[in-house]
Amino acid sequence: MNDEQVLQHFRDAGALLEGHFILTSGLRSPTYLQCAKVLMHPDRAAALCAELAGRIVADLGQGAIDLVVSPAMGGVVVGYEMGRQLGCPAIFTERIDGEFALRRGFEIPPGARVLMAEDIVTTGLSSRECIACIRQLGGEVVAASCLIDRSDGKADVGVPLFALVGLDVPAYDADQLPAELAAIPAIKPGSRGLR
């Protein structure tokens, strides 16, 4: 699957949006990728995650991952499907008082080789926070993954990051908007409030 085929899944699902968007980081962008609209279709989720899992196995080897851990909310579905594709359990972290933690009886076996799975990486902050949680709980994070890397490889999450597509999508501070973006009302389409 090439970049255009991946992005076509987003277009066909109505998940590649254009306008003036406020990202979770507080930055503004003319492009928003709503992964939930792609992942609500099991066939699309399976196809995209199968491609991503195949790339990870080709690089790290079969059986290199013992557990998939994702940050809630955006990573829950993609994490589950990555676990299914890799043939291993998948769990998720949740924010408690602003920090990622495990709940629901989830545990990370000591020394487990973990893939941290996200839907979208923009700055890498959520990924780094989730990875720190995994390490604090005894997991060995061998890699991270996402469907779309909005930083196009610029975000450093501290481990190898596998992405289906890297996009160089501009993001601006609210006080440094280009005129064409400033002329459009801003909306916050994501699932979380601003940081």
Side-chain angles (χ1 to χ4, degrees), residues 102 108-114 131-141:
L102 290 180
I108 297 175
R113 297 167 300 169
V114 177
I131 288 168
C133 175
I134 295 164
R135 288 180 172 152
Q136 184 180 31
L137 296 171
E140 175 194 344
V141 183

Side-chain angles (χ1 to χ4, degrees), residues 62-187:
Q62 189 70 41
I65 306 295
D66 301 316
L67 179 67
V68 176
V69 179
S70 349
M73 267 309 289
V76 173
V77 175
V78 74
Y80 165 81
E81 186 60 30
M82 288 301 294
R84 194 175 79 80
Q85 295 292 336
L86 292 167
C88 62
I91 62 175
F92 54 89
T93 61
E94 298 175 77
R95 287 194 187 274
I96 300 173
D97 297 326
E99 305 256 332
F100 279 123
L102 290 180
R103 297 180 60 202
R104 304 171 196 278
F106 290 151
E107 295 179 349
I108 297 175
R113 297 167 300 169
V114 177
L115 172 71
M116 192 287 304
E118 274 269 34
D119 54 354
I120 301 271
V121 168
T122 300
T123 65
L125 179 60
S126 294
S127 298
R128 289 188 299 275
E129 290 173 344
C130 188
I131 288 168
C133 175
I134 295 164
R135 288 180 172 152
Q136 184 180 31
L137 296 171
E140 175 194 344
V141 183
V142 296
S145 67
C146 63
L147 298 180
I148 307 288
D149 176 5
R150 283 181 50 106
S151 81
D152 199 20
K154 295 179 196 96
D156 180 6
V157 300
V159 296
L161 176 63
F162 291 87
L164 281 180
V165 174
L167 294 176
D168 189 10
V169 179
Y172 307 96
D173 287 321
D175 61 352
Q176 297 180 346
L177 297 176
E180 64 275 9
L181 200 58
I184 304 169
I187 61 170

